[in-house]
Amino acid sequence: MNTTQITTAQRIKAIVGGSIGNLVEWYDWYAYAAFAIYFSNSFFPDSDLNAQLMNTAGIFAVGFLMRPIGGWLFGSIADKIGRKRAMTLSVLLMSFGSLLIALTPTYETIGILAPILLLIARLLQGLSVGGEYGVSATYLSEMATEDRRGFYSSFQYVTLIGGQLIALGIQLVLQKLLLTEAQLEDWGWRIPFIIGAALSVIALYLRANLHETEAFENKKEMSEKKKGTIKELLKHPKALLTVVGLTLGGTLAFYTYTTYMQKFLVNTVHLTKEQSTLISFVSLFIFACLQPVFGGLSDRIGRRPLLLGFGILGTLCTVPLLTALSTTTSMWGAFFLIMAALIIVSGYTSINAVVKAELFPSEVRALGVGLPYALTVAIFGGTAEYIALWLKQADMEPYFYWYITACIFFSLIVYARMKDTKETSALNKD
């Protein structure tokens, strides 16, 4: 299928098909984070809330350790046998992990086996989601026309955030309309994981009917030894280091203001669970809507100005924003502070997928995007929540704000030194 000849409707169908599986994968991933405040007691029998959350966050972080393996495994599959097959396999694996969490008995019933099964499920989900990012980023970037790559690839984060929104939306419905807090803590937390496993069937159908990208088809005759291998990837050391550098600050900021923020609002700001869920839901919805706006802007002015904007504002504003947030007593005050932070982070999230895809040739693109990204996210994004909770328990929470600032500043140095990938895109050579 030649992307220069297909209609806009066909291209949108491909983008939707590629994105919807991404949405389901990230829904399953975030359901764990959203409902941890309810199920942590079922797996870790400790009377202290912070200790329970730390144990649950620890397993969340361990799940991230599988992401580099997933980035390598699914990236190699995508570069060797196709983007479509890799995306189908990853969504299958994620659904199995969700079903395992939904069906695992509590600590009270089976003892130490309960957290072990929870760990296994998260390892499987980490493997899946580690592969999903690189493959879907590659697919969306390759399916887009040259002048709309920023816009189309931004939908990766629309669906990524959308997955979290659905998780929070289900949580709101369960909290406000269907279940009591006691029921949620007893058995209601299993519902979102059952829903996630069911949604995977829809995603599987859509992905099974996707078109393969022209960029992959054009390299079908290339030797297998040159496609999707670490040896071939290491021929692009500058691109690899660039992915690590540009991801470091962005992923830490993203996970702080999305995944961790709900717990921060309960644990530090002392809002109720329902208030923190509502604030997270509304702010993330607006955040998702901003992604195509920023992505489209990058198609006009380039990728680098947006990255520099995130780097500069993130370095200057992180400590003041989080300090103000930690002392606010108003729901509206918390909402506007989080929203300001998410607008800043949009300079990174909206375009990071296309920037990485533009750095690599098609024969190692999925691997090149997925593996170094997954390594960086595992080290910095996956541990963000645990480090934040550990510093809070040690009564040193402000140090976490400075840690984020330092990481964003490091990324800013990378943004300042790199060329604008819109002008030097390897996608143009496909």
Side-chain angles (χ1 to χ4, degrees):
M1 182 182 67
N2 192 316
T3 55
T4 60
Q5 296 176 343
I6 64 170
T7 65
T8 301
Q10 288 172 316
R11 186 175 294 109
I12 290 172
K13 182 181 177 182
I15 299 297
V16 170
S19 299
I20 202 74
N22 195 47
L23 184 143
V24 173
E25 287 237 16
W26 288 100
Y27 162 79
D28 287 335
W29 182 254
Y30 283 122
Y32 181 98
F35 282 85
I37 52 179
Y38 291 109
F39 71 71
S40 56
N41 184 51
S42 297
F43 293 95
F44 303 101
D46 192 305
S47 58
D48 179 57
L49 173 63
N50 199 71
Q52 288 175 351
L53 289 175
M54 277 188 69
N55 284 325
T56 316
I59 286 186
F60 187 78
V62 170
F64 274 82
L65 297 180
M66 292 300 287
R67 290 178 65 164
I69 300 173
W72 162 74
L73 177 64
F74 287 98
S76 295
I77 291 170
D79 287 329
K80 286 179 183 292
I81 65 172
R83 320 318 192 193
K84 173 183 167 179
R85 290 185 188 178
M87 291 195 294
T88 304
L89 288 171
S90 70
V91 82
L92 266 175
L93 194 59
M94 178 62 80
S95 66
F96 181 76
S98 277
L99 200 58
L100 184 57
I101 294 174
L103 300 178
T104 296
T106 64
Y107 188 95
E108 190 177 315
T109 306
I110 59 170
I112 193 67
L113 196 57
I116 290 173
L117 286 173
L118 181 67
L119 176 63
I120 291 169
R122 286 306 282 178
L123 291 176
L124 292 174
Q125 290 188 323
L127 190 70
S128 169
V129 87
E132 173 66 23
Y133 176 88
V135 182
S136 62
T138 298
Y139 183 80
L140 293 174
S141 300
E142 289 179 348
M143 286 303 301
T145 54
E146 184 179 342
D147 61 337
R148 304 298 298 279
R149 283 181 190 139
F151 175 76
Y152 279 117
S153 63
S154 71
F155 281 90
Q156 185 183 38
Y157 262 75
V158 172
T159 52
L160 190 155
I161 300 160
Q164 191 168 2
L165 278 173
I166 294 173
L168 288 172
I170 288 171
Q171 189 174 43
L172 281 170
V173 170
L174 293 176
Q175 285 173 340
K176 301 284 187 184
L177 302 176
L178 300 180
L179 302 177
T180 64
E181 184 154 333
Q183 287 173 325
L184 272 168
E185 290 181 354
D186 186 29
W187 55 268
W189 59 266
R190 297 182 187 275
I191 294 171
F193 297 104
I194 293 169
I195 291 171
L199 284 174
S200 298
V201 177
I202 300 169
L204 192 62
Y205 171 77
L206 288 169
R207 287 197 160 178
N209 290 282
L210 285 179
H211 294 287
E212 189 53 84
T213 69
E214 184 188 10
F216 174 78
E217 295 289 356
N218 288 345
K219 295 291 176 77
K220 259 192 169 180
E221 303 307 315
M222 179 180 280
S223 167
E224 286 294 316
K225 293 179 181 178
K226 287 185 172 291
K227 293 196 292 185
T229 64
I230 297 292
K231 182 180 178 181
E232 196 66 25
L233 182 63
L234 291 175
K235 294 179 181 178
H236 307 276
K238 186 177 179 182
L240 281 168
L241 292 173
T242 300
V243 171
V244 172
L246 70 89
T247 302
L248 195 157
T251 191
L252 181 55
F254 174 75
Y255 278 98
T256 297
Y257 294 118
T258 57
T259 306
Y260 174 60
M261 192 46 55
Q262 192 184 10
K263 298 175 187 64
F264 184 83
L265 292 174
V266 172
N267 222 12
T268 297
V269 186
H270 302 300
L271 297 178
T272 66
K273 291 176 182 176
E274 290 78 8
Q275 286 174 326
S276 67
T277 304
L278 183 61
I279 289 171
S280 295
F281 183 85
V282 176
S283 60
L284 284 171
F285 178 78
I286 299 171
F287 184 42
C289 294
L290 288 173
Q291 302 310 297
V293 176
F294 277 77
L297 181 63
S298 80
D299 288 325
R300 291 179 175 271
I301 67 171
R303 324 294 185 214
R304 194 164 170 266
L306 270 68
L307 292 172
L308 287 171
F310 160 67
I312 293 167
L313 291 173
T315 301
L316 295 176
C317 300
T318 297
V319 172
L321 280 171
L322 286 173
T323 302
L325 185 59
S326 68
T327 56
T328 190
T329 55
S330 158
M331 270 187 71
W332 281 107
F335 168 74
F336 284 118
L337 287 166
I338 292 170
M339 207 60 249
L342 289 174
I343 290 169
I344 293 170
V345 176
S346 292
Y348 162 80
T349 54
S350 60
I351 59 168
N352 80 95
V354 70
V355 169
K356 292 160 192 168
E358 288 175 327
L359 290 169
F360 296 95
S362 63
E363 62 268 23
V364 290
R365 184 169 294 137
L367 182 61
V369 173
L371 179 56
Y373 168 84
L375 278 167
T376 312
V377 171
I379 296 166
F380 295 97
T383 58
E385 196 172 291
Y386 193 85
I387 290 170
L389 288 165
W390 182 80
L391 287 170
K392 178 174 177 58
Q393 193 171 56
D395 202 26
M396 297 187 295
E397 193 167 36
Y399 283 99
F400 181 63
Y401 314 159
W402 286 104
Y403 168 60
I404 300 166
T405 300
C407 289
I408 294 175
F409 179 71
F410 181 87
S411 287
L412 175 59
I413 295 170
V414 175
Y415 306 150
R417 295 172 62 88
M418 68 185 286
K419 294 178 180 178
D420 196 318
T421 57
K422 181 176 181 289
E423 307 302 327
T424 60
S425 178
L427 287 161
N428 294 337
K429 300 172 184 176
D430 293 340

